[in-house]
Amino acid sequence: MGPKTNRNTQVLLARRPQGAPTEKDFRIVETPMPETRPGTVLVQNLYLSLDPYMRGRMNDAKSYIPPIEIEAVMGGGTVGKVIRSDIADMPEGAIVEGLLGWQAFAVAKPKALRIVDPTLAPISTALGILGMPGLTAYFGLLDLGKPEPGDTVVVSAASGAVGSIVGQIAKRQGCRTVGVVGTEEKARYILDTLGYDVAINYQTTDNLRTAIRDAAPDGVNVYFDNVGGPVTDAVFNNLALRARIVICGQISLYNASRQEMGPRNLTQILMTRSRIEGFIVFDYLDRYPEGLKDLSTWLANGEITYKEDIVDGLQNAPRTFIGLLEGKNFGKQLIKIAEA
Amino acid sequence: MGPKTNRNTQVLLARRPQGAPTEKDFRIVETPMPETRPGTVLVQNLYLSLDPYMRGRMNDAKSYIPPIEIEAVMGGGTVGKVIRSDIADMPEGAIVEGLLGWQAFAVAKPKALRIVDPTLAPISTALGILGMPGLTAYFGLLDLGKPEPGDTVVVSAASGAVGSIVGQIAKRQGCRTVGVVGTEEKARYILDTLGYDVAINYQTTDNLRTAIRDAAPDGVNVYFDNVGGPVTDAVFNNLALRARIVICGQISLYNASRQEMGPRNLTQILMTRSRIEGFIVFDYLDRYPEGLKDLSTWLANGEITYKEDIVDGLQNAPRTFIGLLEGKNFGKQLIKIAEA
């Protein structure tokens, strides 16, 4: 097996965005097919994951992963097929997940890749419910949120790749779940399909603080935060005693070109003796198998479900990513690069 | 033994302050001496503790302790002498600590009082290093801050009743200690007497963020926050990985008549996977003996020390409390109500 072309397609970071990214911040280029070296495999990427954290990497700022250099390939999670290999454990035809970036083909060392079992679930789920977003929901909620039966769990971006799974796991734990979303369609989806008890559309709600209070009259025990900003302010005004707040994302702030201001609310944390904790799934690398085992079982049992928002064509990655940051996706955002 | 007067003096809450309290928010009244009932003792208060948390109780707002009613006696910790008792375990002459409020005399049930051993240390310390502030420092730092040897521990209001003890315990744990204070005199004191490694005077420092960075080049591992506001913002910009932030007080915000605004900084918590936790010492009631045992031992050994700011006369309590909220005290703020 080998590539049918001798050209690669890559999406580069052309320049650092000022505020919200535009298509001009990216450049799509044709480059020579990468060459394998001994001990590496050539992978044809089939799906690319688009995730909010990528916005941070476009800035030249210290973070938990280094910034993407100008003119470098945009980084990101991929699922692909091994099309050239002399490695017995990772033969041609194997489906692999890795961080191969916004490109059609890539060479990688086997240890940087995880073999995906295509009989378990559609291979795209290795970037979603059975991948980084699923594991983020799993460890973030269970390890830091520590939901107890009867707790009220509020999730922002509740229909998103992570939030949709958080809500379902919380429900499975016997919690009352409140999801915050940005469209009526998403509100319906989280109620009807994900089993959320309450949906709040932050775009049409006059008073978020009151809406959260009405949805959580005894206070919020667990808040799984993907967005930050005014939604988070409203939750902080409605915390139960010893609430656990998992800071998983702050997407509402990622496009800010200077630090945004908001109400100082640590007094609320003090009064309620609540705990806020930052969460990044990479810290749980050695526990991924545990999480994937549970998530796979629950998915196979029909206890949890997922939704994907798949856009065809790598050339559409920039505009799709821009939309993701505006909440335009509905479900886990993926780019389909090639047919499996 | 009995009172030499048949009159009590009380400081009442006259009205709810708008912003910073003024003396007109209080009223000092002469009232009849309270009458003991069976099973109660009459206490002559000798020292009154003034503490920042009292500001919150002057508002009509939900909190962890109810607001003080208008025309009610201001609440607060006291040390006094039992002057009328028919209770064997708490005889006349016993020194007792309790929450008897801003008044010269009070009747109380023995179970609401703690007997203080006057041979252990000056009885006023039952309101400071061997009382609520000491226990706040002890449990807040050790239980939530979890300082490890070599950690950099930053303390705001570092010369205050709580902060002065936090710094000394952290030093005892093998940490590098950085104190933030508001005068040069306090800066000298925390360096020379409390053993802080660095003192930052927030009143004269041009750039707090840079000052914290210079003081903690490897990042802040533990932040014990008594003040909130810009000092806290500066620390949040300099967190080490997995920092522990203990929110013990937010005195810089207590006089705000509406919610103050500040930079949204949860992204920093996310990036560093830090933990913020609210702390109130009352949650540790059943562990007070453990804390008092250690604090007494360390005090007796000369491992920790303390400083008191004692103002004579209950009539001076309002203006002294107003000054406390402005950081005018230097050491644990006490009112001496009567000679021991």
Side-chain angles (χ1 to χ4, degrees), chain A residues 233 260 262 264 273 276 283, chain B residues 233 260 262 264 273 276 283:
Chain A
D233 300 339
E260 294 219 3
R264 293 190 179 280
R273 287 83 109 191
I276 305 175
D283 293 335
Chain B
D233 300 339
E260 294 218 4
R264 294 192 180 279
R273 288 83 109 187
I276 305 176
D283 293 335

Side-chain angles (χ1 to χ4, degrees), chain A residues 281-318:
Chain A
V281 73
F282 306 145
D283 293 335
Y284 285 76
L285 207 54
D286 58 350
R287 292 181 57 195
Y288 280 11
E290 170 194 340
L292 288 174
K293 184 162 166 280
D294 274 348
L295 289 164
S296 307
T297 305
W298 299 340
L299 181 61
N301 290 349
E303 290 186 84
I304 57 176
T305 185
Y306 65 96
K307 184 175 178 64
E308 295 174 331
D309 185 335
I310 302 180
V311 171
D312 253 307
L314 192 54
Q315 74 280 8
N316 292 315

